[in-house]
Amino acid sequence: MTSPLATNFVSVPQGQPYFLQCDKDGHPLQGQVPQTVETYSGVGGVDYIPNGKDYLVVSGLGTGVLTVDLTDNQSYNNMIGRTITIYVLPSAGNNVLVDITGGPVARAFRLTGDTGDVATIAPGGWATLAFVDTVNCLIVGSALCTTA
């Protein structure tokens, strides 16, 4: 788990477990770090909660905007300690909104020219989001992305 606030634990699936050899601090001996990808290729016009992969690749969106909805406290807390890169393919028909409004203290994206709690990623754009704590989400890199 990435945070004591997270509730989206994934248990070991049935079958053969495979173990990564690590040193005493938990760092892989071979230096490998797996990267995971999830995709969304629907028509849009819906709310979507990412499952915690490293990358979210979005295509389609012919009907409407896709909203990555992290307004629920637990959905946001499940992302704390994670970094996700959202990439909207140039062929996508609409934007992707990343909404982090809410929380016990108003959440906001940080380290951008125009901080806010909703980020808009246009087709062909991307944003790497680092969820630091219950209030701060850093945009550590982006293209064709604005916040409001």
Side-chain angles (χ1 to χ4, degrees):
M1 305 257 292
T2 58
S3 164
L5 300 174
T7 60
N8 58 349
F9 173 75
V10 177
S11 64
V12 177
Q14 296 296 323
Q16 174 68 38
Y18 297 95
F19 299 98
L20 183 64
Q21 291 183 331
C22 299
D23 63 15
K24 65 182 176 87
D25 295 319
H27 302 280
L29 293 177
Q30 305 303 322
Q32 67 272 53
V33 178
Q35 300 291 303
T36 55
V37 178
E38 66 181 294
T39 59
Y40 177 88
S41 57
V43 296
V46 298
D47 292 346
Y48 183 81
I49 299 173
N51 59 21
K53 306 275 187 184
D54 297 306
Y55 298 95
L56 170 60
V57 179
V58 180
S59 63
L61 307 184
T63 301
V65 170
L66 177 69
T67 300
V68 176
D69 184 3
L70 297 172
T71 57
D72 177 69
N73 286 342
Q74 194 56 58
S75 296
Y76 183 91
N77 289 345
N78 286 341
M79 297 301 290
I80 295 173
R82 298 176 190 261
T83 299
I84 183 173
T85 298
I86 300 172
Y87 174 59
V88 185
L89 291 174
S91 60
N94 281 288
N95 296 336
V96 170
L97 298 179
V98 183
D99 189 354
I100 62 168
T101 57
V105 177
R107 294 188 284 255
F109 294 108
R110 308 290 183 195
L111 297 182
T112 60
D114 50 348
T115 59
D117 54 10
V118 176
T120 303
I121 307 169
W126 62 276
T128 299
L129 312 173
F131 295 85
V132 178
D133 56 27
T134 58
V135 177
N136 300 295
C137 179
L138 307 180
I139 298 179
V140 296
S142 68
L144 298 176
C145 176
T146 58
T147 59

